[in-house]
Amino acid sequence: MRTKAGAERSRKNASPFLYRRTSFIAYGGDPRFSTCLFVPAEIQQICVYVHGTYRDAAFYRDQLTDFAIRNQVLLVCPLFPAGLIEPWDVDNYKLLRFHEIRYDLILLGMLEEISQRYAVSADRFMLGGFSGGAQFAHRFTYFHAERLSALSLAAPGRVTLLDDRLDWWSGLRDAERLFGRAIDIPALRALPIQLLVGANDDADITIAEDDPGWTPGANLAGATRRERLDSLYRQYQRIGCEAKLEVIANCGHEWTPLREATIRFFEASLLAAG
């Protein structure tokens, strides 16, 4: 394992493109995937923010850079490319499993590499995502809640309910068999969770039975993103989670109006953690 002193020596000799606002850096465990970062001079914690279907990872990194500077946060924005294995696929990462790929383990591997490179702990980190990224983030949390210090979910389109009567992905009945881990409900309850959605994010996104993404129970959470996030919020409340739902006025399915609420939540979580 690389020592902190070794990491500091490497840092002195490293390209400046690997600090502050970085280029995309390939993940050594599987170079099909990469991350772009913002690396401050001093690092107190890691925050991961996951892109939506457009895969504009650098956009989220740039939008959150001021937050990262103020709070000495190493910002990690992974890139999960479309068209892997199936050329027309755009949804691969959202459900955590796709063919042989386990996207939750890919992210954990990325963070292990980053922790070694920059001599920072990745034992616990903040996690957020917009749209498809929020789909990934809440499903990741079901299996790795103990690794998180805060979770921000912005307008996911398809949600996984805490329902063991439904199979994955609409529910959790076969989740332990698929992922080799049971959901840690006490860890989920202890996690600060923010659920964000625009007041006008009310398009009907009902999934038809002939849609490749359909599964029994796919539409039980509702027909719109607002309805689906509200269903998830009620379930989190039911099991005693620290969840807060915020509906942002004059906002449709767009992230920029959600930015300030996201930053406030992350900064409050850092402050509460001391």
Side-chain angles (χ1 to χ4, degrees), residues 134-143 145 148 151-153 156 158-163 172 183 185 188-196 228-245:
Q135 289 195 49
F136 169 90
H138 84 286
R139 294 180 181 114
F140 177 95
T141 301
Y142 288 157
F143 304 106
L148 301 183
L151 173 68
S152 176
L153 304 175
R158 302 180 183 187
V159 299
T160 295
L161 300 175
L162 298 170
D163 191 330
L172 299 172
I183 293 176
I185 295 296
L188 191 61
R189 287 193 186 114
L191 179 65
I193 301 174
Q194 177 191 53
L195 301 99
L196 279 175
R228 292 177 182 189
L229 202 62
D230 189 60
S231 294
L232 196 62
Y233 171 63
R234 290 197 305 270
Q235 289 213 329
Y236 287 173
Q237 281 192 313
R238 195 171 299 129
I239 67 166
C241 284
E242 271 191 78
K244 294 181 179 178
L245 174 65

Side-chain angles (χ1 to χ4, degrees), residues 14-274:
S15 165
F17 291 102
L18 296 177
Y19 293 92
R20 301 286 290 179
R21 183 180 181 273
T22 76
S23 56
F24 278 89
I25 303 168
Y27 166 44
D30 188 335
R32 293 177 296 182
F33 307 102
S34 60
T35 56
C36 64
L37 314 175
F38 183 85
V39 185
E42 299 292 331
I43 302 168
Q44 298 298 323
Q45 194 172 132
I46 291 174
C47 178
V48 177
Y49 206 87
V50 185
H51 60 68
T53 308
Y54 284 111
R55 285 152 168 90
D56 40 359
F59 167 79
Y60 297 101
R61 186 269 311 277
D62 294 345
Q63 288 290 306
L64 293 168
T65 291
D66 288 347
F67 154 73
I69 293 171
R70 278 198 308 273
N71 296 283
Q72 298 181 321
V73 166
L74 194 163
L75 187 59
V76 178
C77 294
L79 175 60
F80 299 129
L84 287 180
I85 304 175
E86 297 179 15
W88 294 100
D89 171 72
V90 297
D91 296 321
N92 47 49
Y93 68 106
K94 299 174 187 177
L95 303 182
L96 301 189
R97 287 175 58 103
F98 184 73
H99 293 269
E100 83 286 0
I101 302 170
R102 279 281 301 273
Y103 283 89
D104 57 329
L105 302 184
I106 293 288
L107 178 59
L108 292 176
M110 288 173 164
L111 292 175
E112 178 61 25
E113 278 194 356
I114 289 166
S115 73
Q116 293 297 310
R117 179 180 296 126
Y118 297 102
V120 59
S121 173
D123 291 346
R124 296 191 76 206
F125 55 94
M126 296 177 284
L127 176 64
F130 172 68
S131 194
Q135 289 195 49
F136 169 90
H138 84 286
R139 294 180 181 114
F140 177 95
T141 301
Y142 288 157
F143 304 106
H144 306 285
E146 79 286 352
R147 297 291 302 270
L148 301 183
S149 58
L151 173 68
S152 176
L153 304 175
R158 302 180 183 187
V159 299
T160 295
L161 300 175
L162 298 170
D163 191 330
D164 59 10
R165 298 167 298 175
L166 299 169
D167 284 337
W168 188 260
W169 56 265
S170 57
L172 299 172
R173 179 164 51 199
D174 58 344
E176 186 172 356
R177 175 183 63 81
L178 290 172
F179 293 94
R181 296 191 61 155
I183 293 176
D184 186 342
I185 295 296
L188 191 61
R189 287 193 186 114
L191 179 65
I193 301 174
Q194 177 191 53
L195 301 99
L196 279 175
V197 68
N200 302 329
D201 197 351
D202 54 6
D204 188 329
I205 55 172
T206 298
I207 306 166
E209 290 193 20
D210 60 354
D211 187 298
W214 185 86
T215 189
N219 297 305
L220 283 180
T224 70
R225 289 182 181 87
R226 279 197 61 178
E227 290 173 356
R228 292 177 182 189
L229 202 62
D230 189 60
S231 294
L232 196 62
Y233 171 63
R234 290 197 305 270
Q235 289 213 329
Y236 287 173
Q237 281 192 313
R238 195 171 299 129
I239 67 166
C241 284
E242 271 191 78
K244 294 181 179 178
L245 174 65
E246 297 183 58
V247 179
I248 306 301
N250 304 313
C251 174
H253 190 57
E254 51 191 326
W255 188 79
T256 301
L258 309 179
R259 174 180 179 272
E260 292 306 317
T262 302
I263 291 172
R264 283 197 303 271
F265 170 73
F266 281 144
E267 290 187 330
S269 300
L270 287 169
L271 186 63

